[in-house]
Amino acid sequence: MKGLFPLLATMIVMVATPQAAIMNNQSKDDISLERAKHLWEMAVAAKGGRERLDAVKSIAITQDFGGRGRSTELCVFPDKYWAWEDRRPSKLGLAAEMRNFERNIGYFVVGYLPNDPKKSELKPEDRASFRNPQLIYLLETKWFKPEVLRAYKDNLGLHSVDVVETRVGKFRIAVFLDTKTHLPVRVGYFSNYVDKIFTWYGLSDYHEVNGILVPHSISYDGSRNIPVQVEINVDYDPAVFERPPRIDDGPYQWRPKSSKPANSSARRV
């Protein structure tokens, strides 16, 4: 019987240790999630507050590729999307599209076939066109609420940042926050196959539009910064979501004829 008690003690340790480790990991996960939610709320407040973000009904984004064309997107939440991309003289050329999920109909037209728009029924995955405009420029909206997963520290160059990992649909997305302003400075998409970010957007040059701080300079995977014009709650012609885009009418055919581009306020971060 002498050797029985050490054996029992060993068995208890062998059984208890994994359980203790699991409890410890759960505690760390809980702390990380709590920290992530806190950081996310600070980011939402830094952007201008949830009340303003939830009041966003539309956003228009124009990017200038500096001699290599430009693009314009109009998102009318929750179900209308219009886009124009001019990459001439490259092979990509000129194209425009409209997606109206309310009517389950879309059109796509290219510049070399301006009178031959392609009509199609929309699929649920086509709603991905709404994701980046909301995530990158607004962070969240009434219709777009990323699931917060965890938080940790990281470095971008010589600068320490807070990272909040989120999930949007099937994508795991890391939002890198400046530790002082709490504004996003990078958004990275994780691969679905390996635990690694495979594409990311750099965000800078924040200033106010309708009381919301939005980036006006974007880089893609470390490319040069591209200037961006952002308009929030814009006036638009509802008829553009009832017909194919018209190549000859240009990138701003969605505007009412009497309207002018909105100006951003002077406040910068």
Side-chain angles (χ1 to χ4, degrees):
M1 295 292 293
K2 250 178 163 187
L4 182 59
F5 292 105
L7 178 60
L8 287 173
T10 302
M11 292 175 64
I12 291 169
V13 170
M14 289 175 66
V15 173
T17 300
Q19 185 63 31
I22 291 170
M23 292 176 66
N24 189 43
N25 288 337
Q26 287 177 337
S27 177
K28 287 180 180 178
D29 289 344
D30 290 344
I31 292 171
S32 179
L33 178 58
E34 184 179 346
R35 175 65 175 159
K37 289 180 177 179
H38 177 65
L39 288 169
W40 188 263
E41 290 303 313
M42 288 197 293
V44 166
K47 293 285 289 181
R50 185 163 284 113
E51 184 176 353
R52 285 195 178 100
L53 293 171
D54 283 352
V56 175
K57 297 178 180 178
S58 64
I59 185 170
I61 303 158
T62 299
Q63 299 186 60
D64 186 345
F65 302 112
R68 294 179 296 163
R70 64 188 304 171
S71 69
T72 299
E73 293 177 279
L74 170 66
C75 295
V76 178
F77 304 122
D79 48 25
K80 297 180 178 70
Y81 177 83
W82 195 96
W84 170 286
E85 187 164 13
D86 186 352
R87 289 293 192 138
R88 294 173 295 183
S90 74
K91 291 182 179 180
L92 293 173
L94 171 64
E97 67 176 316
M98 182 278 286
R99 298 176 181 178
N100 186 336
F101 289 89
E102 187 176 65
R103 295 186 55 197
N104 191 32
I105 191 170
Y107 289 99
F108 179 80
V109 58
V110 293
Y112 60 87
L113 291 172
N115 299 315
D116 187 27
K118 303 299 181 183
K119 184 178 180 180
S120 62
E121 291 187 0
L122 300 176
K123 301 175 182 178
E125 55 266 30
D126 293 329
R127 284 189 174 273
S129 53
F130 294 104
R131 184 179 59 243
N132 273 358
Q134 293 179 93
L135 176 64
I136 290 175
Y137 297 96
L138 300 170
L139 197 61
E140 68 170 55
T141 68
K142 178 180 177 181
W143 298 275
F144 180 80
K145 305 287 185 183
E147 178 190 0
V148 175
L149 301 177
R150 67 185 184 121
Y152 49 88
K153 287 283 188 181
D154 204 346
N155 293 300
L156 292 180
L158 300 176
H159 300 284
S160 176
V161 291
D162 293 312
V163 183
V164 177
E165 280 192 17
T166 68
R167 186 172 298 281
V168 178
K170 64 179 180 179
F171 291 100
R172 185 160 58 102
I173 304 170
V175 180
F176 296 73
L177 303 174
D178 184 280
T179 56
K180 293 182 180 178
T181 67
H182 307 299
L183 292 169
V185 292
R186 179 178 290 187
V187 171
Y189 281 75
F190 281 91
S191 168
N192 288 331
Y193 305 100
V194 294
D195 191 24
K196 184 178 180 181
I197 289 176
F198 73 93
T199 190
W200 55 270
Y201 303 84
L203 317 178
S204 58
D205 189 23
Y206 277 86
H207 53 281
E208 277 186 11
V209 180
N210 286 29
I212 298 171
L213 284 171
V214 296
H216 280 67
S217 185
I218 307 291
S219 65
Y220 299 89
D221 297 327
S223 67
R224 67 182 182 83
N225 288 333
I226 296 170
V228 181
Q229 177 189 348
V230 181
E231 302 169 63
I232 292 175
N233 290 339
V234 296
D235 292 329
Y236 66 94
D237 180 3
V240 299
F241 295 107
E242 304 295 329
R243 64 176 186 241
R246 297 170 179 168
I247 291 295
D248 292 340
D249 289 348
Y252 293 109
Q253 59 194 267
W254 51 267
R255 293 191 191 280
K257 292 182 180 180
S258 60
S259 72
K260 297 180 180 179
N263 294 321
S264 301
S265 70
R267 184 188 168 195
R268 292 175 179 266
V269 175

